[in-house]
Amino acid sequence: MKLLIVDDEVIIRTGIHQVIDWSAIGITALQPAASGEEAWQQIHNEQPHIVMTDIRMGAMSGLELASLVRNHYPATEVIMLSGYDDFAYAQQAMRVGAQDYILKTSRPEEIMEAVLKAKQRWEARQQHDRIGHLNVHLLKKQLLEQLLTEGMPEEQLAGGQVLELLELKAENRAYQVIFLTVSGWKDEQLLLFAASNIIGEALQCDISLRPHHMVLLWKQKTEYEQTRTLSTTFANCENLLKCSIFAAFGSIVPHYEKIRQSYVEAERALAYVHIVSDRRIIQYKDIQHRTGGRTVCTREEENELATILTQGNRATLAHWIQEIVKAQVLDEQTTPESLLAYLQSILVSACRWLERMVPEERTLSEFRHRLLPNHEVEAGLYRACCAIMERYQQYDERNRANSYIQRAMFYIREHLHESLSLQQVAAYVHVNPNHFSEVFKREAGMNYIDFVTLERMGLAKELLTGSERKISQVASDCGYEDVKYFCKLFKKHIGLSPSQYRQHN
C-alpha cells in the first residue's frame, strides 16, 4: 500500500517520511511532495492509496487537494496535517473528503496509528466491494442459467430488476443461443476458460460454462444482424489459442421469452458434433427434419466383424469401424439416436460371437455400457471390441497352453522312474523352457519340481501298498537312486516313513 506525504515545510515532510519505519507496517512511502500542485501530478502518476497533506500550503491548499482527490479518486484515503489545533479546520477538512485529522506536533506512533486506521478503512472497502461484486456475479450466473434451462416466470420479470441485471430489453430484440466446444489442449477445462474470456470480451455476451462446452447468449442489435462478427471472433480465438471451435446454433428469436426455445434447439444441434465433424458450424434448421438412419447391422457386417475378431488385428478393426461409421454419417437422415442404436447392434453382434466362441462367457451386460450417447461413440465401440477380442485371445491361448501342458503332464507320469529335467520335458512339447515353466505353474497351480515330486510320492504310495518291493526298489522305480534321500522326502510329504506307511496300509 502506497502513502504520499505532502507538506511545504521540508522538515515536516522529510521527518515524517524518514523517522517512521513504514515498511514494517506494510506501507510504501513515496517520495514526498512539496506543494499541492506537485502532489496532484504525483497522484495521477503513482496512484497512492493514502495521501497525508498539510492544510495550509501555497497556491493549492490541502483542502483543495483533498477535494480534487475525493472527486477523481474516491477510494483514496486522505489524512489532514495541521499545525493549528482548530476544530474549524477539522470540520472543513472532513467536508471536502478527508477521513482523519492530526496535528503536526503528534508523536510518531500517533501518526503511524492514523495511517494504519486509513489502511484498515481502505482494505475494508475493497473487501466489501469484492463481496458485493461476487454476489452480483453469482446472482447473474444463477439467473442466466434459469433463463436458459427453465425459462423465466413473468412474475419474476415484473419488477424489471432481472431484465436490468441480465441486460434484456423489454422491447423486441434478436436473441440467439449458441453451444461451443473447444478442443486442442490437453487441459480441456483450462482451454474452455481461456476461450470463454476471449469470446466474452469480444462479443460482450453472457456465457455459461459447462464441463465440456460453453453456452453463449448472443444479443443482436437487429434480427438481421450478420454472423460475421461471430465468425471473426471464433477465428481470432482459434488463432490465438491454437485450438478448434465447433459451434451449434439455435434459431434467432425476437423476444427474451423465446430464449429457452433457442437454447433447446442449440443443445439439439450440439448432439450432432460427432456426426458432422467435417463442419465447424451447424444450425438447428440444418438437422431439424432428420428422421434417423439405419439402426441394425446386416448379416454381412456381422460376418466381417467375426472374421476380424478371430484374426485379432486391432488396426483392421479400427479401419473397419471407421468405414461403417463414415457410411452412416454420410446418410443425411442419420441422427445421434440412430447412430448410437446402429453401433449398439454392432456391439451386440460382437458379444454374441464371443459367447459362441467361449461357451462360459456372458458378456453383453458387461460391455453394453462401453458406448456412451453422443460422446465418442466410435472410440467407445472400438475399445469394447478390443476388449472382446482380447478376451477371446486369452481363452484361445489358455486352450493352446492346456493342450501342451496336458501332454507334458502325461509324459512326466510315464517317465517318473527316469531323470526328469524341466528342459527335457519342455523339449518334448517343443516349448521354450522359461515360457514352459511360467505357463506350467499357472495351469498346474504349482511349479514344475513340486509337481514331479508330488507325482513320484503318489507312485511310491501305490508301490508300497500294492507290491512287496523293497524300499530301495520303490525308490528306484520312482526315480530316486539315493534311498536315504527318498525316505526323508517321503516322510516330509506323507508324515510317515515308507516302512510305517506300508505297515499302516
Short mmCIF file of all heavy atoms in Angstrom, two decimals, residues 91-150:
data_model
loop_
_atom_site.label_atom_id
_atom_site.label_comp_id
_atom_site.label_asym_id
_atom_site.label_seq_id
_atom_site.Cartn_x
_atom_site.Cartn_y
_atom_site.Cartn_z
N GLN A 91 -13.35 20.40 10.74
CA GLN A 91 -14.68 20.30 10.13
C GLN A 91 -14.61 20.53 8.62
O GLN A 91 -15.22 19.80 7.83
CB GLN A 91 -15.62 21.31 10.77
CG GLN A 91 -16.07 20.95 12.18
CD GLN A 91 -17.06 21.96 12.71
OE1 GLN A 91 -16.86 23.17 12.58
NE2 GLN A 91 -18.13 21.48 13.32
N GLN A 92 -13.87 21.55 8.23
CA GLN A 92 -13.75 21.88 6.82
C GLN A 92 -13.04 20.75 6.06
O GLN A 92 -13.41 20.41 4.94
CB GLN A 92 -12.98 23.20 6.65
CG GLN A 92 -13.10 23.79 5.26
CD GLN A 92 -12.44 25.17 5.18
OE1 GLN A 92 -11.98 25.70 6.20
NE2 GLN A 92 -12.42 25.74 3.99
N ALA A 93 -12.04 20.19 6.70
CA ALA A 93 -11.30 19.09 6.07
C ALA A 93 -12.21 17.89 5.84
O ALA A 93 -12.19 17.24 4.79
CB ALA A 93 -10.11 18.68 6.95
N MET A 94 -13.06 17.56 6.81
CA MET A 94 -13.97 16.43 6.68
C MET A 94 -14.99 16.67 5.57
O MET A 94 -15.38 15.76 4.85
CB MET A 94 -14.70 16.16 8.01
CG MET A 94 -13.77 15.78 9.17
SD MET A 94 -12.73 14.35 8.78
CE MET A 94 -11.68 14.30 10.23
N ARG A 95 -15.42 17.93 5.42
CA ARG A 95 -16.40 18.24 4.40
C ARG A 95 -15.85 18.03 2.99
O ARG A 95 -16.59 17.67 2.08
CB ARG A 95 -16.88 19.69 4.57
CG ARG A 95 -17.90 19.86 5.70
CD ARG A 95 -18.65 21.20 5.53
NE ARG A 95 -17.75 22.33 5.63
CZ ARG A 95 -17.45 22.96 6.77
NH1 ARG A 95 -17.98 22.53 7.92
NH2 ARG A 95 -16.64 24.00 6.79
N VAL A 96 -14.58 18.29 2.80
CA VAL A 96 -14.00 18.16 1.45
C VAL A 96 -13.47 16.76 1.19
O VAL A 96 -12.90 16.49 0.14
CB VAL A 96 -12.88 19.19 1.22
CG1 VAL A 96 -13.44 20.60 1.30
CG2 VAL A 96 -11.73 18.99 2.20
N GLY A 97 -13.65 15.82 2.12
CA GLY A 97 -13.31 14.44 1.82
C GLY A 97 -12.21 13.82 2.65
O GLY A 97 -11.85 12.66 2.42
N ALA A 98 -11.64 14.56 3.62
CA ALA A 98 -10.61 13.96 4.47
C ALA A 98 -11.26 12.98 5.43
O ALA A 98 -12.37 13.20 5.91
CB ALA A 98 -9.86 15.04 5.24
N GLN A 99 -10.56 11.84 5.70
CA GLN A 99 -11.10 10.84 6.62
C GLN A 99 -10.53 10.96 8.03
O GLN A 99 -11.04 10.35 8.96
CB GLN A 99 -10.83 9.42 6.08
CG GLN A 99 -11.71 8.99 4.92
CD GLN A 99 -11.25 9.54 3.58
OE1 GLN A 99 -10.09 9.89 3.40
NE2 GLN A 99 -12.18 9.65 2.65
N ASP A 100 -9.45 11.74 8.18
CA ASP A 100 -8.85 11.90 9.51
C ASP A 100 -8.13 13.24 9.58
O ASP A 100 -7.84 13.87 8.55
CB ASP A 100 -7.88 10.74 9.80
CG ASP A 100 -7.75 10.46 11.29
OD1 ASP A 100 -8.18 11.31 12.10
OD2 ASP A 100 -7.23 9.39 11.65
N TYR A 101 -7.77 13.64 10.79
CA TYR A 101 -7.17 14.95 11.03
C TYR A 101 -6.20 14.82 12.20
O TYR A 101 -6.59 14.40 13.28
CB TYR A 101 -8.28 15.96 11.35
CG TYR A 101 -7.82 17.37 11.57
CD1 TYR A 101 -7.83 18.29 10.53
CD2 TYR A 101 -7.37 17.80 12.84
CE1 TYR A 101 -7.42 19.61 10.74
CE2 TYR A 101 -6.95 19.10 13.04
CZ TYR A 101 -6.98 20.00 11.99
OH TYR A 101 -6.57 21.30 12.20
N ILE A 102 -4.93 15.12 11.96
CA ILE A 102 -3.95 15.04 13.05
C ILE A 102 -3.07 16.29 13.03
O ILE A 102 -2.93 16.95 11.99
CB ILE A 102 -3.06 13.77 12.94
CG1 ILE A 102 -2.31 13.75 11.61
CG2 ILE A 102 -3.86 12.50 13.13
CD1 ILE A 102 -1.33 12.60 11.51
N LEU A 103 -2.45 16.55 14.17
CA LEU A 103 -1.56 17.71 14.30
C LEU A 103 -0.15 17.34 13.91
O LEU A 103 0.29 16.19 14.09
CB LEU A 103 -1.59 18.23 15.74
CG LEU A 103 -2.94 18.79 16.23
CD1 LEU A 103 -2.83 19.12 17.71
CD2 LEU A 103 -3.35 20.00 15.42
N LYS A 104 0.57 18.35 13.41
CA LYS A 104 1.97 18.11 13.07
C LYS A 104 2.79 17.80 14.31
O LYS A 104 3.87 17.21 14.21
CB LYS A 104 2.55 19.33 12.36
CG LYS A 104 1.95 19.60 10.99
CD LYS A 104 2.62 20.78 10.32
CE LYS A 104 2.04 21.06 8.96
NZ LYS A 104 2.69 22.20 8.28
N THR A 105 2.30 18.26 15.45
CA THR A 105 3.04 18.00 16.70
C THR A 105 2.76 16.62 17.28
O THR A 105 3.26 16.27 18.35
CB THR A 105 2.64 19.07 17.73
OG1 THR A 105 1.21 19.05 17.90
CG2 THR A 105 3.08 20.45 17.29
N SER A 106 1.95 15.82 16.59
CA SER A 106 1.65 14.47 17.07
C SER A 106 2.91 13.62 17.12
O SER A 106 3.84 13.79 16.31
CB SER A 106 0.61 13.81 16.17
OG SER A 106 -0.59 14.55 16.15
N ARG A 107 2.94 12.68 18.06
CA ARG A 107 4.08 11.77 18.18
C ARG A 107 4.09 10.80 16.99
O ARG A 107 3.04 10.53 16.38
CB ARG A 107 4.00 10.99 19.48
CG ARG A 107 4.07 11.88 20.74
CD ARG A 107 4.23 11.03 22.00
NE ARG A 107 3.15 10.06 22.11
CZ ARG A 107 1.97 10.29 22.65
NH1 ARG A 107 1.70 11.51 23.12
NH2 ARG A 107 1.04 9.35 22.72
N PRO A 108 5.25 10.24 16.64
CA PRO A 108 5.34 9.31 15.50
C PRO A 108 4.34 8.16 15.60
O PRO A 108 3.73 7.77 14.60
CB PRO A 108 6.78 8.81 15.57
CG PRO A 108 7.53 9.93 16.19
CD PRO A 108 6.60 10.52 17.21
N GLU A 109 4.14 7.63 16.83
CA GLU A 109 3.21 6.50 16.96
C GLU A 109 1.76 6.92 16.68
O GLU A 109 0.95 6.13 16.20
CB GLU A 109 3.32 5.85 18.34
CG GLU A 109 3.12 6.79 19.52
CD GLU A 109 4.43 7.39 20.02
OE1 GLU A 109 5.39 7.49 19.20
OE2 GLU A 109 4.50 7.71 21.21
N GLU A 110 1.44 8.20 16.98
CA GLU A 110 0.11 8.69 16.69
C GLU A 110 -0.11 8.84 15.18
O GLU A 110 -1.19 8.55 14.66
CB GLU A 110 -0.13 10.04 17.39
CG GLU A 110 -0.18 9.93 18.91
CD GLU A 110 -0.27 11.28 19.60
OE1 GLU A 110 0.19 12.29 19.01
OE2 GLU A 110 -0.81 11.34 20.71
N ILE A 111 0.95 9.32 14.50
CA ILE A 111 0.87 9.44 13.03
C ILE A 111 0.74 8.05 12.40
O ILE A 111 -0.07 7.82 11.50
CB ILE A 111 2.11 10.17 12.49
CG1 ILE A 111 2.15 11.60 13.02
CG2 ILE A 111 2.12 10.15 10.96
CD1 ILE A 111 3.41 12.37 12.65
N MET A 112 1.56 7.12 12.92
CA MET A 112 1.51 5.74 12.42
C MET A 112 0.12 5.13 12.64
O MET A 112 -0.43 4.44 11.77
CB MET A 112 2.58 4.89 13.12
CG MET A 112 2.72 3.49 12.55
SD MET A 112 3.90 2.48 13.48
CE MET A 112 5.39 3.43 13.29
N GLU A 113 -0.47 5.40 13.81
CA GLU A 113 -1.80 4.88 14.12
C GLU A 113 -2.85 5.42 13.16
O GLU A 113 -3.73 4.69 12.70
CB GLU A 113 -2.17 5.25 15.56
CG GLU A 113 -3.53 4.70 15.99
CD GLU A 113 -3.87 5.10 17.42
OE1 GLU A 113 -2.99 5.63 18.12
OE2 GLU A 113 -5.04 4.89 17.82
N ALA A 114 -2.73 6.70 12.81
CA ALA A 114 -3.68 7.31 11.88
C ALA A 114 -3.57 6.66 10.49
O ALA A 114 -4.58 6.40 9.82
CB ALA A 114 -3.43 8.80 11.78
N VAL A 115 -2.34 6.38 10.06
CA VAL A 115 -2.13 5.75 8.75
C VAL A 115 -2.65 4.31 8.76
O VAL A 115 -3.27 3.85 7.79
CB VAL A 115 -0.63 5.80 8.37
CG1 VAL A 115 -0.38 4.95 7.12
CG2 VAL A 115 -0.19 7.24 8.12
N LEU A 116 -2.44 3.60 9.86
CA LEU A 116 -2.93 2.22 9.96
C LEU A 116 -4.46 2.17 9.91
O LEU A 116 -5.05 1.28 9.31
CB LEU A 116 -2.41 1.55 11.23
CG LEU A 116 -0.95 1.09 11.19
CD1 LEU A 116 -0.50 0.59 12.55
CD2 LEU A 116 -0.76 0.01 10.13
N LYS A 117 -5.10 3.15 10.56
CA LYS A 117 -6.56 3.21 10.51
C LYS A 117 -7.03 3.47 9.08
O LYS A 117 -8.02 2.90 8.62
CB LYS A 117 -7.06 4.31 11.43
CG LYS A 117 -6.99 3.96 12.92
CD LYS A 117 -7.52 5.11 13.77
CE LYS A 117 -7.46 4.77 15.25
NZ LYS A 117 -7.94 5.90 16.09
N ALA A 118 -6.31 4.32 8.37
CA ALA A 118 -6.65 4.60 6.98
C ALA A 118 -6.48 3.33 6.12
O ALA A 118 -7.31 3.04 5.24
CB ALA A 118 -5.77 5.72 6.44
N LYS A 119 -5.41 2.60 6.41
CA LYS A 119 -5.17 1.35 5.69
C LYS A 119 -6.31 0.36 5.93
O LYS A 119 -6.80 -0.29 4.99
CB LYS A 119 -3.84 0.74 6.13
CG LYS A 119 -3.50 -0.58 5.45
CD LYS A 119 -2.20 -1.16 5.99
CE LYS A 119 -1.89 -2.50 5.33
NZ LYS A 119 -0.68 -3.13 5.90
N GLN A 120 -6.76 0.24 7.19
CA GLN A 120 -7.85 -0.66 7.52
C GLN A 120 -9.14 -0.25 6.80
O GLN A 120 -9.88 -1.10 6.30
CB GLN A 120 -8.07 -0.70 9.03
CG GLN A 120 -6.98 -1.44 9.80
CD GLN A 120 -7.22 -1.40 11.31
OE1 GLN A 120 -7.93 -0.52 11.81
NE2 GLN A 120 -6.63 -2.34 12.02
N ARG A 121 -9.42 1.06 6.77
CA ARG A 121 -10.63 1.52 6.11
C ARG A 121 -10.59 1.19 4.61
O ARG A 121 -11.59 0.76 4.02
CB ARG A 121 -10.81 3.04 6.31
CG ARG A 121 -11.19 3.44 7.73
CD ARG A 121 -11.64 4.90 7.79
NE ARG A 121 -10.60 5.83 7.37
CZ ARG A 121 -9.70 6.40 8.17
NH1 ARG A 121 -9.74 6.12 9.48
NH2 ARG A 121 -8.80 7.24 7.70
N TRP A 122 -9.44 1.42 4.01
CA TRP A 122 -9.30 1.15 2.57
C TRP A 122 -9.49 -0.33 2.27
O TRP A 122 -10.21 -0.71 1.35
CB TRP A 122 -7.91 1.62 2.11
CG TRP A 122 -7.74 1.55 0.61
CD1 TRP A 122 -8.02 2.53 -0.29
CD2 TRP A 122 -7.27 0.43 -0.15
NE1 TRP A 122 -7.74 2.11 -1.57
CE2 TRP A 122 -7.29 0.81 -1.51
CE3 TRP A 122 -6.84 -0.85 0.19
CZ2 TRP A 122 -6.89 -0.04 -2.53
CZ3 TRP A 122 -6.46 -1.72 -0.83
CH2 TRP A 122 -6.47 -1.31 -2.18
N GLU A 123 -8.84 -1.20 3.06
CA GLU A 123 -8.95 -2.65 2.85
C GLU A 123 -10.36 -3.14 3.10
O GLU A 123 -10.86 -4.04 2.41
CB GLU A 123 -7.96 -3.39 3.74
CG GLU A 123 -6.51 -3.18 3.33
CD GLU A 123 -5.51 -3.88 4.24
OE1 GLU A 123 -5.93 -4.25 5.38
OE2 GLU A 123 -4.35 -4.05 3.84
N ALA A 124 -11.04 -2.56 4.11
CA ALA A 124 -12.42 -2.96 4.40
C ALA A 124 -13.34 -2.62 3.23
O ALA A 124 -14.22 -3.41 2.86
CB ALA A 124 -12.91 -2.28 5.68
N ARG A 125 -13.13 -1.43 2.62
CA ARG A 125 -13.96 -1.05 1.47
C ARG A 125 -13.71 -1.97 0.29
O ARG A 125 -14.64 -2.37 -0.42
CB ARG A 125 -13.67 0.40 1.07
CG ARG A 125 -14.36 1.44 1.94
CD ARG A 125 -14.42 2.79 1.22
NE ARG A 125 -13.12 3.22 0.77
CZ ARG A 125 -12.23 3.89 1.53
NH1 ARG A 125 -12.54 4.18 2.78
NH2 ARG A 125 -11.07 4.26 1.05
N GLN A 126 -12.43 -2.30 0.08
CA GLN A 126 -12.10 -3.20 -1.03
C GLN A 126 -12.75 -4.56 -0.85
O GLN A 126 -13.28 -5.15 -1.80
CB GLN A 126 -10.57 -3.36 -1.15
CG GLN A 126 -9.84 -2.10 -1.56
CD GLN A 126 -10.29 -1.59 -2.91
OE1 GLN A 126 -10.32 -2.34 -3.88
NE2 GLN A 126 -10.66 -0.32 -2.97
N GLN A 127 -12.69 -5.07 0.38
CA GLN A 127 -13.30 -6.36 0.67
C GLN A 127 -14.81 -6.31 0.46
O GLN A 127 -15.42 -7.23 -0.11
CB GLN A 127 -12.98 -6.78 2.12
CG GLN A 127 -13.57 -8.11 2.55
CD GLN A 127 -12.91 -9.29 1.84
OE1 GLN A 127 -11.88 -9.14 1.20
NE2 GLN A 127 -13.51 -10.46 1.95
N HIS A 128 -15.41 -5.23 0.90
CA HIS A 128 -16.86 -5.07 0.74
C HIS A 128 -17.23 -5.00 -0.74
O HIS A 128 -18.22 -5.61 -1.18
CB HIS A 128 -17.31 -3.79 1.46
CG HIS A 128 -18.79 -3.56 1.37
ND1 HIS A 128 -19.36 -2.83 0.34
CD2 HIS A 128 -19.81 -3.97 2.16
CE1 HIS A 128 -20.66 -2.80 0.51
NE2 HIS A 128 -20.96 -3.48 1.61
N ASP A 129 -16.43 -4.27 -1.51
CA ASP A 129 -16.69 -4.15 -2.94
C ASP A 129 -16.55 -5.50 -3.63
O ASP A 129 -17.34 -5.85 -4.52
CB ASP A 129 -15.75 -3.13 -3.59
CG ASP A 129 -16.05 -1.71 -3.13
OD1 ASP A 129 -17.14 -1.50 -2.57
OD2 ASP A 129 -15.20 -0.84 -3.31
N ARG A 130 -15.51 -6.27 -3.21
CA ARG A 130 -15.30 -7.59 -3.81
C ARG A 130 -16.47 -8.51 -3.52
O ARG A 130 -16.95 -9.24 -4.39
CB ARG A 130 -13.99 -8.20 -3.31
CG ARG A 130 -12.74 -7.66 -3.99
CD ARG A 130 -11.54 -8.55 -3.71
NE ARG A 130 -11.20 -8.57 -2.30
CZ ARG A 130 -10.33 -7.73 -1.73
NH1 ARG A 130 -9.74 -6.80 -2.46
NH2 ARG A 130 -10.06 -7.81 -0.44
N ILE A 131 -16.93 -8.51 -2.26
CA ILE A 131 -18.05 -9.37 -1.88
C ILE A 131 -19.31 -8.97 -2.62
O ILE A 131 -20.05 -9.81 -3.14
CB ILE A 131 -18.29 -9.31 -0.35
CG1 ILE A 131 -17.10 -9.95 0.38
CG2 ILE A 131 -19.58 -10.02 0.03
CD1 ILE A 131 -17.15 -9.79 1.88
N GLY A 132 -19.54 -7.66 -2.70
CA GLY A 132 -20.71 -7.19 -3.43
C GLY A 132 -20.66 -7.58 -4.90
O GLY A 132 -21.65 -8.04 -5.46
N HIS A 133 -19.51 -7.41 -5.51
CA HIS A 133 -19.35 -7.77 -6.92
C HIS A 133 -19.53 -9.27 -7.11
O HIS A 133 -20.17 -9.72 -8.07
CB HIS A 133 -17.96 -7.34 -7.41
CG HIS A 133 -17.69 -7.72 -8.84
ND1 HIS A 133 -18.27 -7.08 -9.90
CD2 HIS A 133 -16.91 -8.71 -9.36
CE1 HIS A 133 -17.86 -7.62 -11.03
NE2 HIS A 133 -17.04 -8.62 -10.72
N LEU A 134 -18.98 -10.05 -6.17
CA LEU A 134 -19.10 -11.51 -6.25
C LEU A 134 -20.55 -11.94 -6.13
O LEU A 134 -21.02 -12.80 -6.88
CB LEU A 134 -18.26 -12.15 -5.14
CG LEU A 134 -18.27 -13.68 -5.07
CD1 LEU A 134 -17.69 -14.27 -6.35
CD2 LEU A 134 -17.47 -14.17 -3.86
N ASN A 135 -21.28 -11.32 -5.20
CA ASN A 135 -22.68 -11.68 -5.01
C ASN A 135 -23.51 -11.36 -6.26
O ASN A 135 -24.36 -12.14 -6.68
CB ASN A 135 -23.27 -10.94 -3.80
CG ASN A 135 -22.73 -11.48 -2.49
OD1 ASN A 135 -22.25 -12.62 -2.43
ND2 ASN A 135 -22.78 -10.68 -1.45
N VAL A 136 -23.25 -10.20 -6.85
CA VAL A 136 -23.96 -9.82 -8.07
C VAL A 136 -23.62 -10.80 -9.20
O VAL A 136 -24.49 -11.22 -9.97
CB VAL A 136 -23.61 -8.37 -8.47
CG1 VAL A 136 -24.16 -8.06 -9.86
CG2 VAL A 136 -24.16 -7.39 -7.45
N HIS A 137 -22.33 -11.16 -9.28
CA HIS A 137 -21.88 -12.08 -10.33
C HIS A 137 -22.56 -13.45 -10.18
O HIS A 137 -23.03 -14.03 -11.16
CB HIS A 137 -20.36 -12.23 -10.26
CG HIS A 137 -19.81 -13.24 -11.23
ND1 HIS A 137 -19.72 -12.98 -12.58
CD2 HIS A 137 -19.34 -14.51 -11.04
CE1 HIS A 137 -19.22 -14.04 -13.19
NE2 HIS A 137 -18.98 -14.97 -12.28
N LEU A 138 -22.63 -13.94 -8.94
CA LEU A 138 -23.27 -15.24 -8.70
C LEU A 138 -24.75 -15.19 -9.00
O LEU A 138 -25.32 -16.13 -9.58
CB LEU A 138 -23.03 -15.68 -7.25
CG LEU A 138 -21.60 -16.10 -6.89
CD1 LEU A 138 -21.48 -16.39 -5.41
CD2 LEU A 138 -21.17 -17.31 -7.71
N LEU A 139 -25.40 -14.10 -8.60
CA LEU A 139 -26.83 -13.95 -8.87
C LEU A 139 -27.09 -13.92 -10.37
O LEU A 139 -28.02 -14.57 -10.87
CB LEU A 139 -27.35 -12.67 -8.20
CG LEU A 139 -28.84 -12.35 -8.45
CD1 LEU A 139 -29.73 -13.47 -7.94
CD2 LEU A 139 -29.21 -11.02 -7.80
N LYS A 140 -26.29 -13.16 -11.09
CA LYS A 140 -26.45 -13.07 -12.55
C LYS A 140 -26.24 -14.44 -13.19
O LYS A 140 -26.98 -14.82 -14.11
CB LYS A 140 -25.46 -12.05 -13.12
CG LYS A 140 -25.62 -11.82 -14.61
CD LYS A 140 -24.69 -10.73 -15.12
CE LYS A 140 -24.87 -10.52 -16.61
NZ LYS A 140 -23.97 -9.47 -17.14
N LYS A 141 -25.26 -15.18 -12.70
CA LYS A 141 -24.98 -16.51 -13.23
C LYS A 141 -26.16 -17.44 -13.00
O LYS A 141 -26.56 -18.20 -13.90
CB LYS A 141 -23.72 -17.07 -12.56
CG LYS A 141 -23.28 -18.42 -13.08
CD LYS A 141 -22.00 -18.88 -12.40
CE LYS A 141 -21.57 -20.25 -12.91
NZ LYS A 141 -20.33 -20.72 -12.22
N GLN A 142 -26.75 -17.39 -11.81
CA GLN A 142 -27.90 -18.24 -11.50
C GLN A 142 -29.11 -17.87 -12.35
O GLN A 142 -29.82 -18.74 -12.86
CB GLN A 142 -28.24 -18.12 -10.01
CG GLN A 142 -27.18 -18.72 -9.09
CD GLN A 142 -27.42 -18.37 -7.63
OE1 GLN A 142 -28.33 -17.62 -7.30
NE2 GLN A 142 -26.59 -18.92 -6.75
N LEU A 143 -29.36 -16.58 -12.51
CA LEU A 143 -30.50 -16.13 -13.30
C LEU A 143 -30.33 -16.50 -14.77
O LEU A 143 -31.30 -16.89 -15.44
CB LEU A 143 -30.68 -14.62 -13.15
CG LEU A 143 -31.16 -14.12 -11.78
CD1 LEU A 143 -31.13 -12.61 -11.72
CD2 LEU A 143 -32.55 -14.64 -11.48
N LEU A 144 -29.10 -16.38 -15.29
CA LEU A 144 -28.84 -16.74 -16.68
C LEU A 144 -29.11 -18.23 -16.89
O LEU A 144 -29.73 -18.63 -17.88
CB LEU A 144 -27.40 -16.40 -17.05
CG LEU A 144 -26.95 -16.84 -18.46
CD1 LEU A 144 -27.77 -16.12 -19.52
CD2 LEU A 144 -25.45 -16.58 -18.66
N GLU A 145 -28.65 -19.04 -15.94
CA GLU A 145 -28.86 -20.49 -16.05
C GLU A 145 -30.35 -20.83 -16.02
O GLU A 145 -30.83 -21.68 -16.78
CB GLU A 145 -28.13 -21.20 -14.90
CG GLU A 145 -27.95 -22.70 -15.09
CD GLU A 145 -27.02 -23.04 -16.24
OE1 GLU A 145 -26.18 -22.20 -16.63
OE2 GLU A 145 -27.15 -24.16 -16.77
N GLN A 146 -31.08 -20.13 -15.17
CA GLN A 146 -32.53 -20.35 -15.09
C GLN A 146 -33.21 -19.92 -16.38
O GLN A 146 -34.10 -20.61 -16.90
CB GLN A 146 -33.12 -19.59 -13.91
CG GLN A 146 -34.63 -19.78 -13.75
CD GLN A 146 -35.19 -18.95 -12.61
OE1 GLN A 146 -34.46 -18.42 -11.79
NE2 GLN A 146 -36.51 -18.83 -12.58
N LEU A 147 -32.81 -18.77 -16.91
CA LEU A 147 -33.40 -18.26 -18.15
C LEU A 147 -33.20 -19.24 -19.29
O LEU A 147 -34.10 -19.49 -20.09
CB LEU A 147 -32.77 -16.90 -18.49
CG LEU A 147 -33.22 -16.25 -19.81
CD1 LEU A 147 -34.68 -15.82 -19.72
CD2 LEU A 147 -32.33 -15.06 -20.15
N LEU A 148 -32.00 -19.83 -19.38
CA LEU A 148 -31.67 -20.74 -20.47
C LEU A 148 -32.36 -22.09 -20.33
O LEU A 148 -32.94 -22.61 -21.29
CB LEU A 148 -30.16 -20.95 -20.55
CG LEU A 148 -29.31 -19.73 -20.95
CD1 LEU A 148 -27.83 -20.04 -20.78
CD2 LEU A 148 -29.59 -19.31 -22.38
N THR A 149 -32.28 -22.68 -19.16
CA THR A 149 -32.71 -24.07 -18.99
C THR A 149 -34.17 -24.23 -18.58
O THR A 149 -34.78 -25.26 -18.85
CB THR A 149 -31.83 -24.78 -17.95
OG1 THR A 149 -31.93 -24.09 -16.69
CG2 THR A 149 -30.38 -24.77 -18.39
N GLU A 150 -34.74 -23.21 -17.91
CA GLU A 150 -36.10 -23.34 -17.42
C GLU A 150 -37.05 -22.27 -17.98
O GLU A 150 -38.27 -22.46 -18.01
CB GLU A 150 -36.13 -23.24 -15.89
CG GLU A 150 -35.25 -24.26 -15.19
CD GLU A 150 -35.17 -24.00 -13.69
OE1 GLU A 150 -36.06 -23.30 -13.16
OE2 GLU A 150 -34.21 -24.48 -13.06
#
